[in-house]
Amino acid sequence: MRVHTQDSIEIKEMDSSNNNNNPSLPYKVGVPPKQNLWTEFSTTLKETFFSDDPLHSFKHQSKCRQLILGIQAVFPIFEWGRNYDLAKFKGDLISGLTIASLCIPQDIGYAKLANLAPQYGLYSSFVPPLVYAFMGSSRDIAIGPVAVVSLLLGTLLQNEIDPVKDAFEYRRLAFTATFFAGITQATLGILRLGFLIDFLSHAAVVGFMAGAAITIALQQLKGFLGIKKFTKNTDIVSVMRSVFGSAHHGWNWETIVIGATFLVFLLFAKYIGKKSKKLFWVPAIAPLISVVLSTFFVYITHAENKGVQIVRHIEKGINPPSVKEIYLSGEYLLKGVRIGMVAGIIALTEAVAIGRTFAAMKDYQIDGNKEMVALGAMNIAGSMTSCYVATGSFSRSAVNYMAGCKTAASNIVMSIVVFLTLQFITPLFEYTPNAILSSIIISAVIGLIDYEAAILIWKIDKFDFIACMGAFFGVVFASVEIGLLIAVSISFAKLLLQVTRPKTVILGKIPRTNVYRNIQQYPEASKVPGVLIIRVDSAIYFSNSNYIKERILRWLTDEEEQLKAAGLFDIQFLIVEMSPVTDIDTSGIHALEELHRSLQKRDVQLVLANPGPVVIDKLHASKFASCLGEDKIFLTVADAIQTCSPKFAEEV
């Protein structure tokens, strides 16, 4: 007899002599037919790297059509561009102009975070957005420098080269790091290894971002207070010591007045934008208004003569080529690779998270691997045109979304505005006070502190909260690198803990049903006399097989002690419910064999219930099914109880 699963795979009987048509006999567990090695390997490979079936649209198409689809896959602009119309252009134009007004002052400030001249921030909002508009699949993401990556890059780079004493070599290392950040991102996408960024848990990212926001805000106290001599360390203790150490002679009250006044204005503008979504444009243009007004004020009052620090000079013109400045040999090559990989992965994590968020809000799909290739390509191109690492900005993407963007063309509009700014307007920023740039950055990074998410993490998972706080305090009290290391370490520690210490629970029968569930979740569930039912909630691998075996034996020992104290019957059968066990390796099978031998010495019979197709196939291949006895492997716990404890089954 043959039956079919949902995947229409033919299943053969374990025991052909057993008549499954007889309702009095339990239904036997089916064993999937043997697959040849190549079929098994190719199926596993497809599910691991090509689960989304990226070549599905190419099937049954002509060569010409496949070529067109291939071009559209690499450059999505040729797909959505066919249906582009005036209505979409209007939405993209408005949103592009809006995010341009926000990005220009932010870019100047973020470049300072990376210890680069102001124009490099603007360069990074010109070339990378153009490349992304052609290759990216997100309609809403706005590309450019962001605060966290700028701080991370600046911190890692200045550990290698002093940005003041050796500005040229520092800039070269920045371009090298950007180049390898792009290589890292594109490689992950091409090799379809995007799942690797998911190893940085959401809780760790929340803590890291919040800590980075605090660190960035503290760094801005130099420009906000007008301090000239400031620590290069980023930890809160060093920064506060530097701030209060210069309080009597280093603070400039005119600078503080300018910074505080416009910070209040910027925060009020953000408050208005949150209160009414129709006024989204208010916080978007507030930074540009602040720059214009503060620059005009400093110009007419000559406040720079009273100690107010100003930008002074921004290079005019578009991005100069920087291909020859990238280190491809020498002592700084490996340093550039290391810094680029770290910055690239953090930038990737932020961009993919932003893209998925807005795609879900608009109910469309983005391909994470394509996004990685697009982000990598734009940073590779950027490194050759005097840009540093760019990625998706959450604040600008949110404004882009609320402004009504329809396609990635809004990035092209923003890029054009930045181009015009570089060509004609940069001399006007000469008198822009550093205090206003600090105020803009402080107001921007406040949104990275998601205390509501931290509270929710505490309520849901205490271990996740430890990861969140570990990353947060690591960034705030040590450094960005230490915080990042803590975030990754705790994320991996949690993963290893879950893999090596899976849950095992005792099951009982739910009253008036034939269902067996966790007795801790359902206290009313009744245990079966003489039978102990244990469910293993994990695959059984070398990393956890010994623990699972010992934990099952400990459950048995505890249960026998309780029964002995109560004067009840001893355990005669131990049923292992294997529904959650998706796979088992040789170590797992050896653990089952050892468990079987240990139980035999106690006069307890091991019984298995509902092993999956992969598990049952391996149990037969290892001969363990024969050793245990095929009549001791059942489709359900209820079937096992019917055989092991028929009196209890009849009473129920």
Side-chain angles (χ1 to χ4, degrees):
M1 172 181 171
R2 292 183 177 178
V3 295
H4 294 271
T5 65
Q6 292 176 349
D7 298 322
S8 298
I9 300 176
E10 291 185 349
I11 304 297
K12 68 180 180 181
E13 296 175 1
M14 280 175 46
D15 185 358
S16 59
S17 63
N18 178 65
N19 185 2
N20 281 331
N21 290 323
N22 188 343
S24 64
L25 295 176
Y27 203 95
K28 287 297 183 179
V29 177
V31 183
K34 284 287 184 182
Q35 292 182 330
N36 63 56
L37 182 62
W38 172 249
T39 302
E40 188 176 350
F41 174 75
S42 60
T43 301
T44 304
L45 186 69
K46 182 179 178 181
E47 285 301 313
T48 303
F49 297 102
F50 304 97
S51 57
D52 57 343
D53 195 9
L55 301 178
H56 176 73
S57 59
F58 290 80
K59 294 178 181 177
H60 312 299
Q61 300 289 341
S62 65
K63 295 292 184 182
C64 181
R65 180 60 182 164
Q66 287 180 350
L67 177 62
I68 294 172
L69 290 173
I71 294 172
Q72 290 178 348
V74 179
F75 302 102
I77 191 171
F78 292 114
E79 182 178 0
W80 57 259
R82 293 182 305 164
N83 302 317
Y84 202 70
D85 54 29
L86 189 61
K88 290 181 179 178
F89 174 71
K90 182 180 178 181
D92 289 337
L93 178 64
I94 294 171
S95 56
L97 292 173
T98 307
I99 58 175
S101 67
L102 177 63
C103 86
I104 291 170
Q106 282 187 348
D107 290 346
I108 295 172
Y110 292 161
K112 287 185 173 293
L113 274 179
N115 300 313
L116 293 167
Q119 64 268 18
Y120 292 101
L122 294 172
Y123 292 161
S124 302
S125 280
F126 172 45
V127 173
L130 284 177
V131 177
Y132 182 85
F134 279 82
M135 299 186 69
S137 58
S138 174
R139 305 171 195 167
D140 303 278
I141 197 168
I143 297 298
V146 296
V148 173
V149 176
S150 298
L151 174 68
L152 178 65
L153 199 64
T155 304
L156 295 176
L157 291 173
Q158 73 176 3
N159 290 340
E160 306 297 338
I161 302 175
D162 191 309
V164 178
K165 295 180 180 178
D166 202 349
F168 177 70
E169 294 298 323
Y170 179 90
R171 192 166 64 245
R172 288 190 65 186
L173 187 57
F175 297 152
T176 305
T178 302
F179 176 76
F180 286 106
I183 292 292
T184 301
Q185 293 168 336
T187 302
L188 288 175
I190 292 170
L191 298 180
R192 305 187 69 79
L193 298 174
F195 59 86
L196 292 177
I197 66 171
D198 293 330
F199 280 99
L200 196 60
S201 69
H202 171 69
V205 171
V206 169
F208 176 77
M209 289 295 184
I214 298 292
T215 302
I216 291 166
L218 291 173
Q219 291 289 306
Q220 299 316 301
L221 292 176
K222 176 185 178 183
F224 191 84
L225 301 175
I227 301 172
K228 293 183 178 179
K229 292 183 179 180
F230 200 73
T231 180
K232 290 184 178 180
N233 298 326
T234 59
D235 63 283
I236 189 170
V237 176
S238 299
V239 171
M240 298 313 296
R241 187 184 292 123
S242 181
V243 168
F244 290 112
S246 58
H248 297 293
H249 55 82
W251 293 12
N252 181 273
W253 71 267
E254 291 94 342
T255 300
I256 296 172
V257 169
I258 293 172
T261 301
F262 284 101
L263 179 59
V264 171
F265 168 69
L266 290 166
L267 294 176
F268 181 68
K270 291 187 78 170
Y271 174 77
I272 292 174
K274 285 184 177 180
K275 284 297 246 182
S276 175
K277 290 186 178 181
K278 292 182 179 179
L279 298 176
F280 69 88
W281 53 271
V282 174
I285 66 169
L288 189 59
I289 292 173
S290 300
V291 168
V292 172
L293 292 178
S294 61
T295 302
F296 180 71
F297 174 77
V298 171
Y299 178 74
I300 62 173
T301 60
H302 292 287
E304 75 276 9
N305 297 329
K306 298 179 181 179
V308 175
Q309 298 177 37
I310 58 176
V311 173
R312 293 198 180 277
H313 178 69
I314 299 180
E315 200 73 40
K316 186 178 179 181
I318 60 172
N319 312 30
S322 56
V323 179
K324 295 181 179 179
E325 295 183 24
I326 297 173
Y327 287 112
L328 296 177
S329 61
E331 60 175 314
Y332 290 121
L333 173 61
L334 291 179
K335 293 177 180 179
V337 172
R338 177 178 57 83
I339 295 170
M341 289 179 67
V342 173
I345 290 173
I346 293 298
L348 201 57
T349 303
E350 188 171 358
V352 172
I354 292 169
R356 287 173 177 169
T357 299
F358 289 104
M361 292 169 68
K362 283 191 174 180
D363 194 26
Y364 68 91
Q365 298 292 323
I366 65 168
D367 187 326
N369 291 296
K370 284 184 182 178
E371 283 294 286
M372 294 175 192
V373 173
L375 292 165
M378 77 179 191
N379 278 314
I380 292 171
S383 68
M384 299 177 181
T385 51
S386 300
C387 304
Y388 72 95
V389 181
T391 187
S393 164
F394 187 82
S395 60
R396 273 174 265 176
S397 298
V399 170
N400 197 30
Y401 169 79
M402 290 186 289
C405 70
K406 303 299 180 185
T407 68
S410 59
N411 278 290
I412 298 176
V413 175
M414 179 190 72
S415 184
I416 292 171
V417 174
V418 172
F419 164 76
L420 296 174
T421 302
L422 285 166
Q423 284 289 75
F424 306 108
I425 306 176
T426 48
L428 300 179
F429 291 111
E430 181 179 349
Y431 288 93
T432 300
N434 288 340
I436 192 62
L437 300 178
S438 297
S439 298
I440 290 170
I441 292 174
I442 291 172
S443 67
V445 299
I446 285 175
L448 295 176
I449 305 174
D450 194 349
Y451 65 90
E452 292 180 350
I455 293 171
L456 184 62
I457 290 168
W458 166 259
K459 291 179 180 178
I460 294 174
D461 191 323
K462 301 300 185 289
F463 197 98
D464 263 357
F465 185 76
I466 293 173
C468 179
M469 290 297 100
F472 175 78
F473 288 119
V475 174
V476 172
F477 287 97
S479 64
V480 177
E481 312 99 280
I482 297 298
L484 183 59
L485 182 62
I486 291 174
V488 174
S489 299
I490 295 179
S491 296
F492 269 101
K494 181 184 179 183
L495 181 66
L496 289 173
L497 189 63
Q498 290 176 335
V499 170
T500 58
R501 294 294 183 269
K503 287 188 176 182
T504 55
V505 297
I506 294 180
L507 304 185
K509 189 175 186 300
I510 303 295
R512 299 183 302 279
T513 72
N514 212 22
V515 176
Y516 292 80
R517 291 292 182 266
N518 186 352
I519 60 173
Q520 290 184 337
Q521 184 179 1
Y522 299 95
E524 69 276 14
S526 58
K527 294 182 181 178
V528 181
V531 179
L532 179 62
I533 310 167
I534 297 176
R535 189 182 70 210
V536 179
D537 290 340
S538 166
I540 305 176
Y541 291 129
F542 66 93
S543 58
N544 61 23
S545 58
N546 194 54
Y547 168 80
I548 290 173
K549 179 198 71 176
E550 292 177 352
R551 189 70 184 91
I552 291 174
L553 291 174
R554 197 157 67 249
W555 278 122
L556 178 61
T557 302
D558 294 343
E559 189 70 15
E560 286 180 333
E561 289 176 355
Q562 292 177 16
L563 293 174
K564 186 176 181 180
L568 299 175
F569 292 108
D570 290 338
I571 298 295
Q572 295 176 318
F573 296 93
L574 190 149
I575 301 174
V576 180
E577 219 284 58
M578 303 188 75
S579 297
V581 181
T582 56
D583 200 359
I584 190 169
D585 64 3
T586 52
S587 297
I589 291 172
H590 285 313
L592 288 180
E593 291 172 346
E594 291 173 6
L595 176 64
H596 181 43
R597 286 194 291 268
S598 297
L599 293 177
Q600 284 179 325
K601 293 176 183 177
R602 297 189 183 195
D603 292 326
V604 176
Q605 176 62 55
L606 176 63
V607 176
L608 304 182
N610 196 22
V614 175
V615 175
I616 192 63
D617 184 48
K618 291 183 178 181
L619 293 180
H620 274 271
S622 64
K623 308 298 182 184
F624 177 72
S626 302
C627 177
L628 178 65
E630 294 184 359
D631 58 334
K632 300 299 186 295
I633 303 175
F634 296 89
L635 185 64
T636 65
V637 173
D639 286 347
I641 294 297
Q642 185 179 355
T643 301
C644 300
S645 185
K647 186 176 179 181
F648 176 82
E650 288 173 8
E651 290 175 355
V652 173

